[in-house]
Amino acid sequence: MLTLITMNLKTVCHRWARVQFTALLLAGITLLASSCAHVEPARIPEQPGKAPTAEMLPGKGPAQKGEWFDKVWTQRRAEFRANKVASKGALVFLGDSITQGWGDPHKYFPEYRCANRGISGDTTRGILYRLQEDVLDLEPAAVILLIGTNDIGIGADPEDVADNVKTILAAMRKANRKMPVIVCHVMPSDASKQRPADKIQRLNALVDKLVEQNKQCIRCDTYGLFADAGGNAKKEEFPDLLHPNATGYAKWVNALKPILSQLDLTTAKTN
């Protein structure tokens, strides 16, 4: 009988030990997974002459692609690297073709040294990929951000685009919480450009909430400034219903100048 009791006790102890070991192992795996979830994944360098593929990009939603985009991405980023030193401390314009369309923004804002970091066709995922090298490494006096229309144009959900914008703003805040970030509304376009008013309005409303919660950010109304009664772009200001003409840029300048005049942009001053 004593032998039987001893064997049963041993069996119970072994089972208890296995249960405890399994519980500790699962707890360890859970803790490791939790820790890894907060590690920023390494950026995979793009191939020469190619824009990053969807698998290489952070963020949510579809990725811009095409030979035309590979070409403009490669060319523009080469230009950015060439003028990186001269752009330190500048007022940085960040976005897609509408931002690239400024050319040299200094001609519109002669009181500031400016750096144009717009790439035609770019999306919020592209911005996330290149944000550190193209923008944050410059230690900008301020950033003027306009992004999101191409995301909508290639089929992204407004909620995913807004989530990417949230990540962009968080990265800027982490780099320098005193750096002003002027967040422009996505400009109106047209359903014929795969950019219907309701989607753009939804995206702008979501980003409005992000800006309200972030003291570093200032909203610039570049939607209501341009939209017609139906919420779409006007031909007289957006001839292709996507990109502003000279009249459109002049209105954008007038919307930005009062905001810029209230900021300390000492490092970007030309005088």
Side-chain angles (χ1 to χ4, degrees), residues 15 17 54 70 81 85 103 106 117 131 136 160 170 198 244-245:
R15 287 177 178 172
D70 289 341
R81 291 178 182 119
V85 174
H106 178 71
R117 292 298 184 262
L131 182 63
L136 300 181
D160 286 344
D198 62 327
N245 57 16

Side-chain angles (χ1 to χ4, degrees), residues 13 21 27 69 109 112 156 165 167 181 194:
C13 289
F21 175 77
F69 186 60
F109 305 93
Y112 305 115
V165 173
T167 305
V181 181
Q194 293 75 51

Side-chain angles (χ1 to χ4, degrees), residues 157-230:
D157 292 328
E159 288 75 13
D160 286 344
V161 185
D163 198 58
N164 292 344
V165 173
K166 182 178 180 179
T167 305
I168 293 168
L169 298 181
M172 291 187 183
R173 184 169 180 80
K174 182 178 180 181
N176 181 1
R177 63 179 53 231
K178 294 183 179 180
M179 176 183 69
V181 181
I182 301 169
V183 185
C184 298
H185 283 99
V186 172
M187 294 178 178
S189 183
D190 193 80
S192 65
K193 299 295 181 180
Q194 293 75 51
R195 295 163 172 83
D198 62 327
K199 282 194 172 183
I200 292 178
Q201 290 166 349
R202 174 65 178 158
L203 173 56
N204 282 334
L206 291 168
V207 177
D208 282 343
K209 293 179 181 178
L210 297 177
V211 172
E212 289 171 4
Q213 298 165 4
N214 191 331
K215 294 181 180 179
Q216 183 177 14
C217 297
I218 304 162
R219 202 62 158 136
C220 181
D221 182 11
T222 44
Y223 181 80
L225 182 67
F226 294 116
D228 65 15

